[in-house]
Amino acid sequence: MQKPSIPKGTRDFSPEEMAKRNYIFDTIKNVYRLYGFRQIETPAMENLSTLMGKYGEEGDKLLFKILNSGNFLSSISTDDVKEGNSAKTAGKISEKGLRYDLTVPFARYVVMHRNEISFPFKRFQIQPVWRADRPQKGRYREFFQCDADVVGSDSLLNEVELIQIIDEVFRRLNIRVSVKLNNRKILSGIAEIIGEADKITDITVAIDKLDKIGLANVNEELRGKGISETAIQQLQPIILIGGTNNEKLTTLKSVLSSSETGLKGVEELEFILNKTGLLTIGCGLELDLTLARGLNYYTGAIIEVKALDVEIGSITGGGRYDNLTGIFGLSGVSGVGISFGADRIYDVLDQLSLFPDNSTHTTDVLFVNFGDKEESCLLPILSQLRSNGICAEIYPEAAKMKKQMSYADNNNIPFVALVGENEIKEGKVTLKEMQSGEQTALSVDELIQKLAHQK
Amino acid sequence: MQKPSIPKGTRDFSPEEMAKRNYIFDTIKNVYRLYGFRQIETPAMENLSTLMGKYGEEGDKLLFKILNSGNFLSSISTDDVKEGNSAKTAGKISEKGLRYDLTVPFARYVVMHRNEISFPFKRFQIQPVWRADRPQKGRYREFFQCDADVVGSDSLLNEVELIQIIDEVFRRLNIRVSVKLNNRKILSGIAEIIGEADKITDITVAIDKLDKIGLANVNEELRGKGISETAIQQLQPIILIGGTNNEKLTTLKSVLSSSETGLKGVEELEFILNKTGLLTIGCGLELDLTLARGLNYYTGAIIEVKALDVEIGSITGGGRYDNLTGIFGLSGVSGVGISFGADRIYDVLDQLSLFPDNSTHTTDVLFVNFGDKEESCLLPILSQLRSNGICAEIYPEAAKMKKQMSYADNNNIPFVALVGENEIKEGKVTLKEMQSGEQTALSVDELIQKLAHQK
């Protein structure tokens, strides 16, 4: 008899894990909806022509490909086997793959449905994605992304609202976070003034090390990357940039005064900080020039969120990208979006014990089963409770009391109701609170009131 | 430039479709939860060893198989290509497949997690499944199943509760249905008394035709299937069975008096009908001997639901199966479950225009954007609305009024708020009801009251 297992890097989610995950997903969904984002879903499988070449060479390798149905062998020759080029042969026997992220399918969606969409299109999407990565702690081959994007609008108000959304989600989840902001145009401006456009990544990496290795070593590292002495001198105010966001913006305006692009970036950041300043944003917003995630991808704002109380890397990120749909033939559609990292947020909540108690209790009350006669009395009572929105179950058979009690215990059911011969005679229900052990005799109406009140 | 498309048999779901689908899923989930069912999820990919051989030969062919990552070609030889046996070769280059239903992964789950589960285990699961079927109207290669099962309990109370769930879900959805019941043991009993165990399908098919072709032709068809004259005579009361459920049970008891199995089936059905009789079940429950779905699979109750007002086949089905987990080495676990057909339910609701109006409206109010100054005034008002649970958005740029209005229109937003220079001076918001065109000037508090009231 086979011993069952699941593919490595994939997970089952138990009722308790699902309840916790739903708590996260529901929080994110509710906030997305409050801001007018609308949900879409796309198929798990996309044509490989949609996916290939969109995630770089490494990404292509990490796509899960679906074997064509039927007689796929007729599409390859013995020469293919001899040649041994698996990537090339895969293209002959597989024309579909599993979604690698939600962004490319979304771009494909926008292009396919552009005549039905009323732009600006504010969509959110919460679905699993699959990557044939090497599984390791915290990295899975199937995981969920929770994306929101606005496409078809250049307005920076979208950036402002996305930051509000981030703030609101983490406020609701009780996670203290810091939101780091940058702008691709500022990074381009820096590269422009020192004449080293292709070294921008080296520069951000070096700047990031200032606290750890000191100014002399940062400059040494820049020299090692082939950056000229003049450029390094021009970079000094940027490497040493500090103070409040406003002080940083002032420094940047002066350093980038000769770069139109750079100044545009500063202006964009100023707009975002001014508008968010009008609002009650609980989390700290910090201008961070070392933030360069998705550098080849983003064209304006870059956003990243870190949890303050757990070392875990970024738990949310996003930014503005121009020409999202250009790859599918629809140009001039700008977009800005964010993505919550549900798995990492789960880990943060778990480590800090921040899941609310009631996020894992599902059933409100279990009725103990004393036998057929009592069952018949209880079924209408159960219906009455349920029609009042109370999640109620009856143990399906008259098992030993101990067994029924440990069922309630194992399933986090907070109350057990006992209705035996005496209770039936008196028209009462004995309600036992599992945690305290306290027992009360209640009428059905009182029971409904009590349980509805607990929810 | 490539013109994007999606794999045949798959679908994108637009915001409006998602809202309607969520209405169905949420209704089902809420009812499942009221009855104490707990949600689980399993990975999209399962090992092929888990899936193969579980759905018959045809099912094996309909599994979507995932090509192994990396150098899969090294696992096959030129002989494999020459032999041309795709099914056999697939086994060498693919070890994972996409979930074909939710039942086999659930059985696998129960066996893998049996030490963590507190039985009886009442689980529900709503996830997509994939089948490489030929796509046709109403049949997709990716579709959702909405299953609830109780495993580890023989109690017929589970059947009763599943019927209550069916009744409650369709009551909430406003779909008039008829629930048909049968029992595999009754069918076995019939086969037993006439000594034709392997002809049971032929018999149910023939009985089903009575209304259409008449008794003489039914008997002729039975003769054609090689059923003896004596057996056909014994079958007469069953073919002509009619009247109320109780009258049918009386007939069955007499016909099946010599079959222990058959009488057990009658007794089970009687229990279910007696207990549901104590409850307010809105839909009709009908004992239907022609119901034989999943005959090789079910061992007790068989349940099927038809919509009364749309011709569409079964929209929900289920039954009891013994030994669900036997295939994975855990025997003696009996289960009973149901599955709602979400796609067909969608079609029924659509055809009968039963989706509630508010199921497709997501945003409650759109604020017209008059420019930067007004934006700054509006952002705090928007925050106030949202913190009162009102879904509110502002058009992200000061576009032409007509464009902003048609955005509200296209997105089913029922109210538009206008806050221009005058309104700012007076501390008022002009609220326009899109459908009537009626405009009212309101304070922010009044606005919140009005919109909260509409929800």
Side-chain angles (χ1 to χ4, degrees), chain B residues 6 17-18 22 31 42 66 79 100-101 113 123 129 146 160 219 257 265 279 328 346 363 395 414-415 417 437:
Chain B
I6 50 174
E17 287 161 334
M18 276 307 295
N22 282 337
V31 176
T42 61
I66 315 268
D79 286 348
Y100 180 89
D101 71 359
H113 301 277
R123 90 85 171 77
V129 302
C146 311
V160 173
N219 289 338
S257 59
L279 299 159
F328 299 117
Y346 187 102
T363 295
Y395 198 87
F415 291 98

Side-chain angles (χ1 to χ4, degrees), chain A residues 133-152:
Chain A
D133 254 323
R134 191 175 299 279
Q136 48 182 269
K137 195 184 171 314
R139 188 192 287 172
Y140 303 100
R141 291 184 149 191
E142 174 181 71
F143 59 97
F144 278 70
Q145 293 193 331
C146 310
D147 286 19
D149 292 81
V150 188
V151 294

